[in-house]
Amino acid sequence: MALLEARGVNVAYTPARGVRIWSVRDVDVTLEQGEFVGLVGESGCGKTTLGFALTRMLRPPAHLESGTISFDGVDISTLDGEELRRQRRNGFALVLQSGMNALNPVRTVEHHFGDIFNAHAREGEKYLGAAGRTRGAELLDMVRLDAEVLSRYPHELSGGMRQRVAIALALALEPRFIVFDEPTTALDVIVQGAIMQTIKDLQHDKGFTAVIISHDLGVVLEATSRVMVMYAGRIIEDQPSTDLARGAHHPYTEALLNCYADPRADEVRIEGIPGNPPDLSLAMAGCPYEPRCPLAVEICKETDPPLAPLGRGRAACHVRAPAARAVAAEAPGAR
Amino acid sequence: MTIVTSAPPPQVPGAEAQVPLGPTSDAIPGPLRFVGRALRTLWSNGKARVGLVIIALNILVAVFAPLIARHSPTATDFAPYSSPSATNWFGTTGNGQDVFSQMVYGARISLLVGLGAGALATLVAVAIGLVAGYRPGPIDEVLSFITNLALVIPALPLMIILAAYLQGRSVWTIVLVVAFTSWATGARVIRSQASTLRNRDYVTSAVFSGERLFRIVFREILPNMTSLVAASFFAAATAAIMAEASLEFLGLGNPSTVSWGTILYFAEQQNALLSGQWVLVFAPGLAIALLAVSFTLVNFGVDALSNPRLREK
Amino acid sequence: MPADVQQSAVPPLIVSGVSKIYANRGRREKAVVAVDDVSFTLEPGAAVGLVGASGSGKSTLAKMVTASERPTSGSIRFGDIAVERLRAGSKRQFHLRVQMVFQDPYGALNPLHTVEYTIVRPCENFLRMSPRAARSRAHELLETVGLTPAAQYAAKLPHQLSGGQRQRVVIARALACNPELIVADEPVSMLDVSLRAGVLKLLTGLRQERGLSLLYITHDLLSARVVTDEIIVLNKGKIVEQGPTKQVLQHPKDSYTVQLLDAVATPLASTPANAEPQAR
């Protein structure tokens, strides 16, 4: 059984005044135990919203308007309060963007661990006092930090160290599913590589299912085994990471790849993608990428392409992955 | 062929809101339009709306006092110490004055002092806070020291001493005294905010655009502090109303002015509660509290003033 | 060609022995040396990159070159102007010639001012234009940076624009007074990757058309490669390597440069480290 199955997820932001924005549109996600997946897209594509939806961390004015999310067989999309907390203890966690800023500045690191242990203590499993410190030191060791960090305050640590602490806190309850929201964006460029390596090693050792949300395709491809690309609230491509550097893909993915280049090459060209993403408060007919797509044909204007097989994965493109193949696709929520 | 339709977003006709192709060279309109828009922004917040309504009612009562009050507030025409009746809706004082008329005219003083002292205190706070916040160095040190000094001295005792020693007990004395003792909190907060905003890129950008100091302070920094200044004003006004009532109640005001505070003063002098005239205590007390609370309620809506995103229709 | 004429009038920027030390008054920690004895020359019309990670001193150098901060020692000359000794009054004249493009598109524009106001102000201040003339120049500049039709963008407020559009407004504002030198402090690092090429092409195009000198500050070697002719690598305030961009990147000598190169993500390169998709 898949660890996480989300079907037909729709998330909308409904501000008190102003128009409603559909930031995640009809998304299906299936994650197996132990997968290391990257969720990639640019500003406003909905990736962070999706990550929050999957871990039930959405806050008003964002709401899960429809869809089901089952974690380990249990439908968590409608749970609340104590029930939800029990499921969280059972296994999923979220590491926030600049998780380093999620630390309380007037409390030591040890206190942060204590908070979690106390809040989610199972029967007879209270980590108090010395036991808490030992467990805290173990967790810090997993993220390559010295035990003496326990007695430090957040401002005494560097940005990279704080991010590691945030990751260690997420590991405290031995979750089976962790979503990392832009774990390296706020960090210095040289530290980013080290953090990603740490996350990769942790995932390999502990075997939890990890989702890395990032706007940087390059960073994600180097660490993960599977990548999902989002655009305008939909997943438009879903491939093994090794395949993404080769072969034909969704035009948006290809355009994104062309934004990168090796600065050491003799000839260096980087491209951009002209135009802007669509306005998410409007209804869209047809493929959302069509206005900017060099391959667009008639049908692209009329019908939104479903995810259809392409290579070893799937893509939502009439031209590259014609919908006729979608009959074989697995989405049971298709209407 | 299976077709997966996109999620059902509403059929919104047309693109994003039409941005007016204005000939205006900047977004800050004339003062009147600014006030109009500020009021509309405040009105959109539920709590602020309640506050605005209460203030509006008070203003109406104060302005139309002669029409609303049925008798002169100072005329000692009636039987003293009487309970509420058809002629005297709130009863009479120990001197035979109509309490209801006193309440109505009293609104004037409370509003005047509240708004007046609040405005004066805020003006001083903005002047000092902006200057101190924008220019680090000796000026900032001196002004901060003065502010801290003013903060440390307890306000009410200082007010009492000042009011007791100042000659010429008038409403304006009260306004000055109250303003003098309440500018410091606002100044401190405004200074912090100004010193944060001073480091924003758009302020540096304004310097690079050749803007002069005056323009930077008043057109770049101050507009981004509108919420804070408004919040300071409403807080100062709340404090001023309470302070004025306190001073009058203690007999440090002018006993011949008619205000809610003096009603309480006389009620206390004449042992109103003991003689069963609880209206003399509750009416002004409630009115003072309500007016003070209304300013605080309006403060809830003040956040949206500086954030154009919250303003959008 | 006008560019040539202008180029000969643009002086070089000469930075000699510049250091910046932030003293910690009376605290236990030592003083922080942000910039340590840096010297370089920016020739007229050239594009030089100052490259390094955070804490390398590149932003501090940028602030000193634009007279936002004073060096603790050393000199910065732009033509006959001694930048390190500028007083408040003469800074305005300086900004007529040296402008800055900022890193954070969300902080570089006053949220309460329209695009038009932001661009009109330098025109009115520096070029003494009448409001009408300034407005039409502002519209011209919007077109130049690719925000067309200008009239549509002129009345917008910053929060109604995307990051890339805001950055173009920032560039338009910097160009308003026809500067000779532009200091660009990480102008694209906060933008989506798909928007970067457009802004970088705009910068290089403008530089070539107008013969501007460009001091480009970044931690990203890819954009430095695309924009600059020469780069200077800074580590903890010291220059560790410098030379023609392509040469330095293809044959780096310092280990820090190598670290920076490794940090550049290259998704199209073969990545044997990727594991096959695993399901347990």
Side-chain angles (χ1 to χ4, degrees):
Chain A
M1 176 179 55
L3 180 67
L4 186 100
E5 262 201 52
R7 292 263 166 265
V9 173
N10 283 298
V11 178
Y13 281 82
T14 314
R17 291 160 74 229
V19 288
R20 179 183 252 198
I21 295 175
W22 293 88
S23 56
V24 175
R25 301 173 179 232
D26 214 28
V27 163
D28 301 334
V29 175
T30 306
L31 299 173
E32 305 289 339
Q33 180 70 53
E35 277 199 280
F36 194 7
V37 179
L39 184 56
V40 168
E42 308 205 275
S43 310
C45 71
K47 58 191 189 299
T48 304
T49 311
L50 180 59
F52 273 55
L54 294 179
T55 49
R56 288 300 318 280
M57 292 284 285
L58 288 176
R59 291 266 172 280
H63 293 283
L64 182 66
E65 296 292 333
S66 62
T68 56
I69 302 170
S70 18
F71 179 71
D72 209 15
V74 178
D75 184 356
I76 59 168
S77 44
T78 46
L79 292 182
D80 266 318
E82 188 53 40
E83 278 297 315
L84 185 56
R85 262 187 46 183
R86 210 171 298 152
Q87 282 304 315
R88 281 196 205 283
R89 210 173 54 218
N90 184 26
F92 56 92
L94 172 67
V95 177
L96 296 165
Q97 179 171 6
S98 37
M100 52 192 195
N101 287 332
L103 301 177
N104 188 336
V106 296
R107 292 272 184 246
T108 59
V109 170
E110 184 179 339
H111 183 102
H112 285 86
F113 281 109
D115 259 352
I116 295 191
F117 297 145
N118 291 332
H120 290 275
R122 287 182 240 239
E123 300 306 318
E125 241 186 53
K126 296 207 188 296
Y127 287 111
L128 297 175
R133 276 194 289 282
T134 316
R135 178 85 180 123
E138 264 173 40
L139 290 166
L140 286 177
D141 184 57
M142 287 184 212
V143 294
R144 317 230 172 92
L145 285 177
D146 200 54
E148 61 109 17
V149 167
L150 275 177
S151 51
R152 299 276 193 91
Y153 285 91
H155 68 268
E156 295 177 305
L157 306 171
S158 72
M161 290 169 86
R162 279 182 286 183
Q163 189 67 317
R164 288 175 193 271
V165 168
I167 295 172
L169 287 170
L171 291 171
L173 298 177
E174 296 177 335
R176 294 151 64 197
F177 173 50
I178 304 185
V179 173
F180 296 87
D181 183 15
E182 308 258 16
T184 56
T185 301
L187 297 174
D188 183 63
V189 65
I190 290 186
V191 172
Q192 285 180 5
I195 298 285
M196 282 308 294
Q197 188 61 42
T198 305
I199 295 177
K200 194 169 161 180
D201 293 340
L202 274 170
Q203 197 274 335
H204 187 259
D205 292 336
K206 306 274 168 207
F208 53 79
T209 307
V211 172
I212 305 241
I213 300 175
S214 179
H215 65 275
D216 195 335
L217 186 55
V219 157
V220 158
L221 280 182
E222 283 174 10
T224 60
S225 57
R226 174 179 163 203
V227 171
M228 300 193 285
V229 181
M230 274 188 87
Y231 184 80
R234 327 206 69 227
I235 294 184
I236 51 104
E237 183 141 19
D238 183 357
Q239 297 282 354
S241 308
T242 39
D243 291 1
L244 220 63
R246 302 188 280 272
H249 295 288
H250 191 286
Y252 176 65
T253 312
E254 285 181 1
L256 263 190
L257 287 167
N258 282 331
C259 296
Y260 295 87
D262 188 344
R264 288 170 275 213
D266 282 329
E267 290 295 320
V268 175
R269 263 177 58 108
I270 54 170
E271 298 290 328
I273 307 180
N276 287 303
D279 184 347
L280 294 178
S281 59
L282 303 178
M284 291 191 283
C287 175
Y289 189 61
E290 184 267 327
R292 306 164 83 183
C293 181
L295 303 178
V297 290
E298 255 327 287
I299 189 178
C300 301
K301 283 210 226 329
E302 298 154 14
T303 326
D304 200 357
L307 278 168
L310 175 64
R312 286 195 292 172
R314 303 176 296 167
C317 177
H318 288 297
V319 175
R320 288 279 160 75
R325 299 191 218 159
V327 177
E330 346 90 50
R335 285 173 212 104
Chain B
M1 181 165 75
T2 41
I3 297 174
V4 177
T5 55
S6 60
Q11 296 289 333
V12 177
E16 21 172 307
Q18 288 297 328
V19 180
L21 304 179
T24 50
S25 62
D26 64 280
I28 303 176
L32 216 56
R33 265 190 288 162
F34 178 70
V35 170
R37 198 166 60 181
L39 282 175
R40 254 184 294 141
T41 312
L42 289 173
W43 186 258
S44 64
N45 180 297
K47 296 188 194 89
R49 195 180 299 185
V50 173
L52 280 175
V53 166
I54 298 177
I55 295 176
L57 282 175
N58 273 286
I59 293 179
L60 282 173
V61 166
V63 166
F64 293 112
L67 298 175
I68 302 175
R70 302 166 73 219
H71 312 283
S72 158
T74 44
T76 54
D77 296 339
F78 307 95
Y81 296 111
S82 47
S83 319
S85 66
T87 17
N88 304 341
W89 291 353
F90 282 179
T92 60
T93 68
N95 296 339
Q97 295 155 325
D98 178 27
V99 175
F100 180 73
S101 308
Q102 288 198 325
M103 285 291 301
V104 168
Y105 277 90
R108 292 185 167 183
I109 302 292
S110 293
L111 270 175
L112 189 64
V113 176
L115 293 172
L120 189 56
T122 308
L123 216 62
V124 173
V126 167
I128 293 185
L130 268 183
V131 173
Y134 188 66
R135 285 278 204 227
I139 305 176
D140 180 20
E141 313 248 330
V142 168
L143 288 174
S144 293
F145 179 74
I146 295 175
T147 310
N148 289 335
L149 204 60
L151 275 173
V152 161
I153 300 176
L156 194 57
L158 181 61
M159 265 193 277
I160 292 174
I161 293 172
L162 285 173
Y165 277 91
L166 280 174
Q167 311 297 342
R169 308 270 189 83
S170 72
V171 180
W172 301 110
T173 318
I174 307 271
V175 170
L176 281 171
V177 167
V178 172
F180 184 74
T181 50
S182 55
W183 61 266
T185 316
R188 188 67 171 252
V189 173
I190 288 173
R191 177 192 163 281
S192 288
Q193 179 76 334
S195 112
T196 306
L197 289 180
R198 160 188 98 213
N199 291 318
R200 290 275 156 89
D201 279 346
Y202 61 79
V203 174
T204 313
S205 178
V207 173
F208 279 60
S209 293
E211 300 282 43
R212 300 196 184 275
L213 176 66
F214 200 74
R215 209 160 162 135
I216 293 180
V217 167
F218 286 99
R219 294 297 283 272
E220 302 284 333
I221 296 188
L222 190 56
N224 278 294
M225 287 186 9
T226 312
S227 292
L228 200 61
V229 173
S232 282
F233 168 71
F234 287 112
T238 310
I241 292 167
M242 305 298 296
E244 181 265 330
S246 312
L247 286 176
E248 302 276 5
F249 173 69
L250 290 171
L252 293 167
N254 189 342
S256 60
T257 50
V258 177
S259 77
W260 295 340
T262 48
I263 298 176
L264 282 172
Y265 171 68
F266 283 113
E268 212 263 333
Q269 296 284 312
Q270 293 149 3
N271 295 313
L273 277 177
L274 282 179
S275 55
Q277 294 195 282
W278 49 267
V279 180
L280 275 182
V281 173
F282 275 101
L286 211 59
I288 293 166
L290 214 59
L291 185 59
V293 162
S294 69
F295 278 104
T296 308
L297 283 173
V298 174
N299 240 346
F300 278 102
V302 140
D303 259 335
L305 286 177
S306 267
N307 189 339
R309 210 186 304 228
L310 292 176
R311 262 192 243 148
E312 222 156 51
K313 300 148 211 99
Chain C
M1 264 170 47
D4 282 339
V5 172
Q6 198 170 356
Q7 212 162 22
S8 60
V10 174
L13 175 76
I14 304 175
V15 174
S16 317
V18 164
S19 298
K20 180 73 180 174
I21 303 176
Y22 291 104
N24 256 323
R25 292 185 295 188
R27 285 191 224 153
R28 281 175 295 147
E29 302 142 24
K30 305 193 301 284
V32 174
V33 180
V35 177
D36 194 352
D37 196 28
V38 166
S39 306
F40 66 89
T41 302
L42 173 56
E43 300 293 346
V48 167
L50 286 181
V51 171
S54 31
S56 56
K58 56 192 199 299
S59 288
T60 314
L61 259 177
K63 288 195 197 135
M64 290 193 283
V65 165
T66 52
S68 296
E69 290 215 20
R70 285 255 175 91
T72 314
S73 59
S75 76
I76 303 176
R77 293 198 73 80
F78 185 63
D80 50 357
I81 303 179
V83 179
E84 77 279 6
R85 276 183 273 149
L86 279 176
R87 304 223 140 266
S90 26
K91 275 193 195 170
R92 287 183 81 240
Q93 277 311 302
F94 179 65
H95 288 310
L96 185 59
R97 306 172 68 186
V98 175
Q99 279 288 338
M100 188 143 169
V101 172
F102 302 88
Q103 173 177 8
D104 179 5
Y106 294 85
L109 299 174
N110 189 325
L112 299 174
H113 289 159
T114 56
V115 163
E116 192 177 86
Y117 178 88
T118 304
I119 304 179
V120 155
R121 288 310 297 158
C123 298
E124 286 178 345
N125 285 329
F126 288 126
L127 305 175
R128 310 293 173 119
M129 290 178 142
S130 69
R132 261 184 108 214
R135 239 182 20 244
S136 87
R137 177 158 169 79
H139 285 234
E140 256 173 53
L141 287 163
L142 283 172
E143 306 261 340
T144 309
V145 297
L147 292 174
T148 53
Q152 186 185 322
Y153 286 97
K156 293 217 174 177
L157 291 174
H159 71 274
Q160 295 168 312
L161 301 173
S162 76
Q165 289 166 334
R166 278 184 229 210
Q167 209 60 323
R168 286 169 193 262
V169 173
V170 170
I171 293 173
R173 190 205 58 80
L175 288 175
C177 54
N178 286 324
E180 297 165 358
L181 166 66
I182 289 195
V183 177
D185 187 1
E186 310 237 34
V188 296
S189 63
M190 294 185 75
L191 298 181
D192 282 332
V193 285
S194 65
L195 299 173
R196 291 182 190 185
V199 174
L200 292 176
K201 279 196 181 110
L202 176 63
L203 272 177
T204 33
L206 286 169
R207 195 197 117 225
Q208 279 157 3
E209 282 164 37
R210 295 163 183 239
L212 292 172
S213 305
L214 178 67
L215 187 62
Y216 182 74
I217 293 154
T218 186
H219 63 264
D220 170 34
L221 289 175
L222 178 60
S223 61
R225 171 71 204 268
V226 167
V227 170
T228 64
D229 311 313
E230 184 187 328
I231 60 169
I232 298 170
V233 183
L234 289 164
N235 186 6
K236 294 200 176 60
K238 284 204 184 50
I239 296 182
V240 296
E241 189 161 359
Q242 73 185 92
T245 308
K246 186 163 158 182
Q247 191 183 314
V248 169
L249 294 184
Q250 285 182 332
H251 307 283
K253 296 202 191 67
D254 192 274
S255 61
Y256 186 70
T257 315
V258 175
Q259 271 188 300
L260 285 173
L261 275 169
D262 284 341
V264 177
T266 43
L268 290 175
S270 58
T271 43
N274 280 337
E276 288 290 301
Q278 7 185 352
R280 287 188 203 166

